[in-house]
Amino acid sequence: MHLTSTLLAGAAAVASAAAAENYLGFNSGSTLADRSAKFKKDFEAEFKTAQALNGAPGKFNAVRLYTNIQAYATDDPIEAFEAAIDTQTYLLLGIWTSGTDNISKELSALQKAVTKYGSKFTDLVIGMSIGSEDLYRNSVTGTKNKAGVGADPEVIVSFIKDYKKAFDGGALAKVPIGHVDTWDSWTNSSNKAVIDAVDWVGVDEYPYYENDKGNNIKNAGKLFDKAYLATKAAVGDKPVWVTETGWPVTGEKWDEAEPSAENAKYYWDEVGCRQLFGKAPTFWYNLRDSNPDNTMKFAITKDLSTTPLFNLTCPTTFDTDSSDSSSSASSGSSTATSRSDGSSTSLSSPTSSGSSGSGPSSGSAAATSSAGSSSAGASGSAKATAASGSGAGKMLASSTVAGVLALAGAFFLL
């Protein structure tokens, strides 16, 4: 009896801990849509809206950042840190690694923040992403789409070592380290060194941009699932965090995909509600648009209103058959054919049309012309600056998304 109750109590505790890890949040760049810098009041307004969204299926009290550096500064801590402290918002931090040979300014900004804010800051940090879509940018497909200068696997691994050395023995030493990239970057065996070096993997996935795959809204859930399952299969026992996904409310039609509030709601239900919310650490794209060059607009609210553009309440039934997705896991895994050059035959990304702005502030020494990342619909061209830091639907046709911490297994013990 005692043993049984003890085991049950332990299982419940583990399940509770697992559930606690399934954060809900949005992405947030370092600049506004007009490319001007965001300051504390701007981040604070975002975080307060996110936590007070009408009808939300949970509390969106986490945020994913792309840089530690305040826009227009060299190595000053981004003011999102102070806003997070004041609003008790959890932080998935990011270090910009594309187009640079060192991350010293990023590390300096982070060290300054630790010194200035102490545990009020470090206690809110749930993860550290070393890089964002760097492997995709350096793939053949990324080059074709003018996604900008990325970083090869060995460079990402060396930056991970630099970060660990800089914070060894400190409060951030226990923070799980990850890297964010497209799904077919993870299924590419030439990038395995990065998988081996991280504690978790972050995936960006936008079925909207999946050309020639039947990317109409009714098929979006299945496309997402295939990429998600392929990612999970490729990374083994590493937890998968969904770092970007969403459906545009306005913009141009993309193959069979059409933007609208109605379709954004359907995607929210079929992907977010059915597959992600409460099951995987999820950072939706997005609460507020920050990239003026992306014609697709993903913001779920207007002017940071707590009343969203569509109903966020989750339905009790879904159109997407999860069992079909599970049975097609193997086909999903093979969708992206790995190449030693770092590319994937499956990726059909949008042509570039502007900076993705997922990188650090333009004033950052680490921010180079590579800035524009792969973002969906974003140009990511070599001339794009990293100023916006938005990380918008960058994923371009490829990325995908997914999953949840391996802790999810414990979650089901309940």
Side-chain angles (χ1 to χ4, degrees), residues 10 23 33 45 78 101 106-107 123 138 151 162 193-194 225 267 283 316 322 405:
Y23 299 99
I78 190 168
D101 59 4
E106 289 276 1
L107 297 179
D123 286 351
N138 270 18
D162 290 343
V194 177
D225 286 357
Y267 189 80
F283 296 85
T316 56
S322 297
L405 290 145

Side-chain angles (χ1 to χ4, degrees), residues 314-375:
C314 286
T316 56
T317 59
F318 307 96
D319 292 341
T320 305
D321 189 337
S322 297
S323 62
D324 287 347
S325 301
S326 297
S327 64
S328 63
S330 58
S331 63
S333 299
S334 61
T335 301
T337 303
S338 300
R339 294 175 176 169
S340 60
D341 61 11
S343 71
S344 164
T345 59
S346 72
L347 184 68
S348 54
S349 321
T351 54
S352 36
S353 63
S355 161
S356 74
S358 64
S361 70
S362 57
S364 162
T368 68
S369 57
S370 69
S373 120
S374 64
S375 297

Side-chain angles (χ1 to χ4, degrees), residues 38-378:
K38 282 184 188 176
F39 295 101
K40 179 184 175 182
K41 64 179 179 61
D42 301 302
F43 288 110
E44 193 170 272
E46 285 184 17
F47 302 166
K48 286 182 176 179
T49 292
Q51 293 186 31
L53 286 170
N54 295 331
K59 192 170 185 179
F60 282 75
N61 60 347
V63 65
R64 176 191 172 215
L65 303 176
Y66 295 83
T67 179
N68 296 303
I69 303 172
Q70 174 59 30
Y72 304 157
T74 300
D75 64 347
D76 290 337
I78 190 168
E79 293 187 15
F81 296 164
E82 269 193 55
I85 291 171
D86 289 351
T87 58
Q88 284 300 286
T89 296
Y90 292 104
L91 295 160
L92 170 50
L93 302 182
I95 288 179
W96 191 253
T97 58
S98 279
T100 183
D101 59 4
N102 72 85
I103 56 173
S104 59
K105 294 296 190 296
E106 289 276 1
L107 297 179
S108 176
L110 190 54
Q111 288 168 329
K112 287 181 179 180
V114 172
T115 299
K116 183 176 182 179
Y117 306 117
S119 61
K120 290 188 298 182
F121 165 61
T122 58
D123 286 351
L124 293 173
V125 180
I126 59 175
M128 170 61 69
S129 175
I130 311 296
S132 177
E133 297 186 14
D134 311 86
L135 304 175
Y136 162 74
R137 288 189 203 97
N138 270 18
S139 71
V140 169
T141 306
T143 300
K144 178 182 178 181
N145 289 314
K146 299 179 181 179
V149 181
D152 290 332
E154 60 271 20
V155 174
I156 298 298
V157 172
S158 70
F159 287 155
I160 289 173
K161 292 178 179 178
D162 290 343
Y163 169 81
K164 288 183 176 180
K165 182 178 179 180
F167 294 96
D168 183 40
L172 294 181
K174 296 181 180 179
V175 170
I177 297 171
H179 171 75
V180 170
D181 231 295
T182 65
W183 73 270
D184 54 349
S185 292
W186 293 122
T187 57
N188 187 330
S189 59
S190 66
N191 295 324
K192 187 176 183 298
V194 177
I195 296 174
D196 294 340
V198 298
D199 302 311
W200 56 273
V201 239
V203 187
D204 295 349
E205 162 61 4
Y206 297 86
Y208 187 86
Y209 294 107
E210 296 281 359
N211 287 347
D212 304 318
K213 294 184 181 179
N215 62 335
N216 63 79
I217 186 61
K218 294 297 182 179
N219 198 39
K222 289 183 178 179
L223 289 177
F224 178 90
D225 286 357
K226 287 181 180 180
Y228 170 31
L229 293 171
T231 301
K232 294 179 73 174
V235 304
D237 61 354
K238 296 296 173 80
V240 178
W241 296 23
V242 183
T243 39
E244 284 185 34
T245 194
W247 194 275
V249 175
T250 62
E252 64 185 272
K253 181 178 179 181
W254 201 276
D255 196 11
E256 296 181 26
E258 297 186 36
S260 71
E262 180 182 4
N263 287 349
K265 161 62 176 172
Y266 187 85
Y267 189 80
W268 176 275
D269 292 348
E270 294 296 311
V271 173
C273 296
R274 176 187 60 86
Q275 185 69 281
L276 302 178
F277 302 153
K279 301 175 184 178
T282 303
F283 296 85
W284 202 260
Y285 199 85
N286 207 9
L287 183 68
R288 167 158 66 177
D289 290 303
S290 300
N291 180 15
D293 296 316
N294 191 357
T295 58
M296 268 64 82
K297 302 304 178 185
F298 288 76
I300 67 169
T301 69
K302 182 179 180 181
D303 300 325
L304 293 184
S305 169
T306 56
T307 300
L309 297 175
F310 54 85
N311 185 1
L312 302 184
T313 303
C314 286
T316 56
T317 59
F318 307 96
D319 292 341
T320 305
D321 189 337
S322 297
S323 62
D324 287 347
S325 301
S326 297
S327 64
S328 63
S330 58
S331 63
S333 299
S334 61
T335 301
T337 303
S338 300
R339 294 175 176 169
S340 60
D341 61 11
S343 71
S344 164
T345 59
S346 72
L347 184 68
S348 54
S349 321
T351 54
S352 36
S353 63
S355 161
S356 74
S358 64
S361 70
S362 57
S364 162
T368 68
S369 57
S370 69
S373 120
S374 64
S375 297

